[in-house]
Amino acid sequence: MTDEIDASGALEAAGLGKKYRRGWALTDAAFRLPAGRICALVGPNGSGKSTLLSLAAGLLAPTTGTLRVFGRSAADPGIRERIAFVAQDKPLYPRFSVADTLRLGRELNPSWDQRAAERVVAEADVPLSARVGSLSGGQRTCVALALALGKRADLLLLDEPMADQDPLRRHRMMGVLMAEAAERGTGVVISTHVVAELDGVCDYLLLMGGGRIRLAGEADALQSAHRLVTGPSATGGGTPDALARHTVVETRTTGRQLTALIRPDGTPDGDGWIVTEPSLEDVLLGYLRAPDAPPLFTAEARTTFTEVEA
Amino acid sequence: MVEYRIDRRSGIATYLQIVQQTKQALRLGLLEPGDRLPTAKEVVAATAINPNTVLKAYRELEREGLVEPRPGLGTFVRRSLARPGAAADSPLRAELADWTDRARAAGLDREDLTALVASVLEERFGETAAPGERGHEENG
């Protein structure tokens, strides 16, 4: 393969798997994330989100399959300067001051942008003279984000960056990230298990469960591929005939009423059925409640290569 | 310059909120031809929404001929939606205020008035809900 195949996307995986001593954390992942997207990586705890991010950051080697970052192997040292990773445990030197930490970033990164990094710290109200060890968890996250943004990477991989932030700082940090994306077209992957947190922010989505990718693609396409239908439940239980030709993700029955999240094949109809378009949160919750629902990938999210070179 | 306020719980698509608030500012004369809209970066830094949403809203406003992008400079207002008859000091507005006072004196409350106005508008104009102003239905 030739160099710089950005057309292949920011991330692209085929047959990707990772096995730890306790078992498989990720199995047979095949997906594509185009460059410049704001991607939510959603899933319950232990679903493989952190493993996937660590593989993309080149910190873990895959057990099976391939993960390409901007068209090159994630293990390629040349790709490291194009990605920035903020891990959940934010490894920083506790005895360094914030200013020293940014200085370290400057010394280690040829493309360092001091102003961008200082802007994040200022926006988060973290004093430059404070020692990292004396900061709160949320403030430390902001310093880690400052390092990531100062690096001027093309893809930011953020593992639950907002988990320990108060609402105001969360809003500000998200604003900083979106401004970076607007200015430089930087792609962002944000893992979270709080779905509502990314409402209006993400335009791309990866839903994981049990070490597998369950949904992948543009957020609005995934949303509009689904319908919420409400109608009479079938006598004796089971799926009513009116829904038989559609892909049923999840059904819930309350008395004689049945609510179903479906992927319609044609227009859903039937006597007394009410059809609405679900919110993105409705879709995600439906899949989270139904771990065995069939996966869905949009055309954008399908891998363009199949060979496995692990 | 306008400042957008995004309500994530409104059920109205985010880009439509930007379109509607821009039009509102154009109607009220807060934005005039030649004014620059905030850049996508400025909007997302303040609202923490996806930059593509802002660009989509601006494209929609451009499609309607209300704004135009000038490469390297920003997005500028092309025409106003303000009409003399809708201004704060217009006789029409004074008449409406007068009518509202009479209706209140007759014992009608805010919801009665809203319903009354909506029904007259429907009778005179036909169509009711403006496109995109329908909220999405909650059921569960």
Side-chain angles (χ1 to χ4, degrees):
Chain A
M1 280 279 179
T2 49
D3 234 13
E4 303 300 335
I5 339 164
D6 281 11
S8 70
L11 294 178
E12 191 164 16
L16 185 67
K18 178 66 191 175
K19 190 183 179 190
Y20 298 115
R21 218 179 310 168
R22 60 188 147 81
W24 288 89
L26 186 70
T27 42
D28 199 26
F31 69 93
R32 181 171 170 275
L33 168 69
R37 296 302 192 124
I38 314 295
C39 175
L41 178 58
V42 186
N45 291 325
S47 55
K49 304 189 297 284
S50 296
T51 299
L52 180 60
L53 289 176
S54 297
L55 287 166
L59 297 180
L60 284 179
T63 312
T64 63
T66 310
L67 177 60
R68 290 188 186 153
V69 181
F70 294 110
R72 288 152 73 177
S73 161
D76 185 339
I79 207 69
R80 293 276 172 91
E81 65 189 49
R82 296 190 64 186
I83 53 178
F85 178 44
V86 175
Q88 233 175 92
D89 52 2
K90 289 99 193 174
L92 298 167
Y93 295 99
R95 304 181 69 96
F96 275 26
S97 70
V98 175
D100 292 340
T101 305
L102 297 190
R103 165 104 197 272
L104 183 69
R106 190 166 73 222
E107 302 290 343
L108 293 178
N109 293 287
S111 58
W112 183 254
D113 185 333
Q114 180 75 11
R115 273 187 39 213
E118 281 181 4
R119 204 160 52 221
V120 180
V121 171
E123 192 73 20
D125 270 336
V126 178
L128 279 168
S129 57
R131 264 185 4 144
V132 167
S134 71
L135 300 176
S136 71
Q139 289 174 316
R140 266 203 298 280
T141 304
C142 295
V143 176
L145 278 174
L147 280 179
L149 285 166
K151 190 174 175 183
R152 284 292 181 230
D154 296 317
L155 179 65
L156 301 175
L157 304 168
L158 312 176
D159 199 355
E160 307 218 356
M162 303 300 166
D164 50 7
Q165 304 285 14
D166 62 61
L168 177 61
R169 201 179 278 130
R170 177 180 305 176
H171 184 85
R172 285 187 178 162
M173 286 302 103
M174 210 56 108
V176 165
L177 284 174
M178 292 306 105
E180 167 83 4
E183 193 175 17
R184 301 186 58 249
T186 311
V188 187
V189 182
I190 306 176
S191 81
T192 182
H193 55 261
V194 187
V195 176
E197 194 171 81
L198 294 171
D199 190 25
V201 173
C202 67
D203 53 31
Y204 211 84
L205 189 85
L206 291 172
L207 173 69
M208 297 189 71
R212 293 178 182 278
I213 310 272
R214 303 186 54 206
L215 288 174
E218 309 91 299
D220 49 2
L222 289 174
Q223 186 182 343
S224 60
H226 293 86
R227 289 290 180 274
L228 267 180
V229 294
T230 307
S233 57
T235 40
T239 307
D241 295 340
L243 300 180
R245 70 196 168 94
H246 309 294
T247 306
V248 177
V249 175
E250 188 222 2
T251 61
R252 278 177 294 157
T253 313
T254 317
R256 290 196 196 85
Q257 180 183 279
L258 177 131
T259 304
L261 180 69
I262 62 167
R263 301 208 299 253
D265 177 12
T267 314
D269 49 16
D271 276 346
W273 287 91
I274 302 164
V275 182
T276 55
E277 182 164 320
S279 69
L280 192 57
E281 194 170 355
D282 292 332
V283 173
L284 287 169
L285 288 174
Y287 277 82
L288 289 170
R289 278 192 295 255
D292 297 323
L296 177 64
F297 288 67
T298 68
E300 280 264 280
R302 295 204 186 98
T303 310
T304 57
F305 67 98
T306 48
E307 90 273 28
V308 173
E309 327 153 348
Chain B
M1 190 77 96
V2 284
E3 200 172 298
Y4 298 110
R5 204 185 51 79
I6 304 302
D7 180 357
R8 288 164 201 252
R9 294 256 153 250
S10 67
I12 300 172
T14 309
Y15 88 95
L16 268 178
Q17 294 187 40
I18 294 177
V19 169
Q20 287 169 1
Q21 287 172 32
T22 309
K23 287 183 176 173
Q24 184 74 1
L26 290 169
R27 277 193 196 98
L28 296 174
L30 301 174
L31 280 176
E32 290 175 0
D35 284 353
R36 185 174 70 82
L37 294 184
T39 63
K41 189 189 167 190
E42 287 164 344
V43 175
V44 301
T47 57
I49 58 170
N50 190 297
N52 291 322
T53 309
V54 184
L55 299 177
K56 185 175 177 186
Y58 285 9
R59 274 199 305 276
E60 174 67 22
L61 291 163
E62 186 190 346
R63 205 180 55 76
E64 296 185 32
L66 296 171
V67 304
E68 63 182 347
R70 293 184 202 153
L73 294 173
T75 304
F76 290 82
V77 174
R78 270 186 65 187
R79 71 182 168 86
S80 171
L81 287 172
R83 305 204 188 158
D89 55 356
S90 79
L92 279 171
R93 194 183 186 286
E95 274 176 52
L96 187 58
D98 205 40
W99 175 83
T100 305
D101 290 342
R102 289 211 311 280
R104 285 184 77 180
L108 272 62
D109 65 19
R110 190 191 183 106
E111 285 181 15
D112 294 330
L113 292 191
T114 311
L116 203 52
V117 170
S119 82
V120 174
L121 288 178
E122 187 175 2
E123 182 190 309
R124 291 293 195 268
F125 285 96
E127 278 295 301
T128 41
E133 280 180 357
R134 283 166 291 136
H136 98 180
E137 281 172 53
E138 296 288 339
N139 60 9

